[in-house]
Amino acid sequence: MDMMQNNWGAAWQYVVVFLMAAAPWLDVFVVVPLGVAWGLNPFGVSIVAFVGNWIPLLLLALFFREFTAWRARVKARKALKRQMAAEASGGGSTAIEEGSSEAASSDLAGSPKKYRRARQIWEKYGVPGLALLAPALVGTDIATLLALSFGSSRRWVMSWMTVSLLVWTVLMAVGSVYGLGFIGWFDQSRVS
């Protein structure tokens, strides 16, 4: 009976690790060392933290297009309402706004070769660099949103975020075991 209660306690700790890893503001930098410090199996903590952090990334990637399409529809409705209100009041400010937006878009369209080259550089170096640095700097959730908003493909972003998350999870697990073992907070002989 005592062993069963201990297993339930450990199971709840793994659930807490999973929920913490799924939280947008926590990453494997916090969750893995915390799970190891709790005395949980580092391998189990790594798997649970990886999955807990990866699922929100997958959801962000899957629903990003739908979110941006919804946001564009809302902005279009608001712009239409403003235009109708301006026409009803007899204002001529919409022509000025339209002219300025055309000028801004012609700057991008005027140099398609430069734009295409910038996109190629972002696709080649931007996503991997962002993915590998994200857990340490801004978090994987924010990095995924940034990469998707820059127009990178979902598959490319998720591939690199998965690789990055795997690398950082392993590094944090190994570092936590040896670091916490060195200061006496983790007993390596308990892990079999």
Side-chain angles (χ1 to χ4, degrees):
M1 183 71 169
D2 187 41
M3 186 174 144
M4 191 169 155
Q5 288 177 342
N6 287 339
N7 288 339
W8 277 110
W12 280 110
Q13 287 177 320
Y14 283 111
V15 169
V16 169
V17 166
F18 177 83
L19 292 174
M20 287 174 54
W25 57 89
L26 294 175
D27 259 326
V28 293
F29 270 92
V30 175
V31 177
V32 172
L34 190 58
V36 172
W38 283 345
L40 297 174
N41 184 318
F43 185 72
V45 168
S46 298
I47 290 173
V48 170
F50 175 84
V51 172
N53 202 255
W54 186 78
I55 288 174
L57 299 183
L58 179 65
L59 293 174
L60 285 172
L62 289 175
F63 295 111
F64 184 77
R65 285 185 188 160
E66 288 77 10
F67 174 74
T68 54
W70 170 79
R71 196 174 77 196
R73 286 191 306 269
V74 169
K75 284 184 177 183
R77 273 190 236 131
K78 286 182 180 179
L80 182 62
K81 286 181 183 178
R82 279 194 303 264
Q83 183 180 9
M84 290 174 62
E87 288 174 359
S89 67
S93 64
T94 56
I96 295 170
E97 290 171 6
E98 290 171 0
S100 64
S101 67
E102 288 174 8
S105 65
S106 69
D107 289 344
L108 290 176
S111 58
K113 187 176 181 181
K114 287 182 181 179
Y115 182 77
R116 189 172 51 245
R117 178 73 176 138
R119 176 61 55 202
Q120 288 172 345
I121 291 171
W122 166 251
E123 288 289 337
K124 191 170 184 180
Y125 301 109
V127 174
L130 183 63
L132 292 172
L133 294 175
L137 300 177
V138 296
T140 53
D141 302 329
I142 293 171
T144 300
L145 286 175
L146 284 173
L148 291 170
S149 67
F150 290 155
S152 300
S153 74
R154 285 192 285 192
R155 181 173 291 161
W156 185 245
V157 171
M158 281 306 297
S159 297
W160 275 105
M161 288 298 173
T162 302
V163 167
S164 171
L165 193 57
L166 183 64
V167 167
W168 281 109
T169 302
V170 169
L171 287 174
M172 291 311 299
V174 170
S176 297
V177 167
Y178 287 109
L180 294 173
F182 180 74
I183 61 174
W185 285 8
F186 181 75
D187 183 14
Q188 294 178 8
S189 65
R190 290 188 310 171
V191 180
S192 50

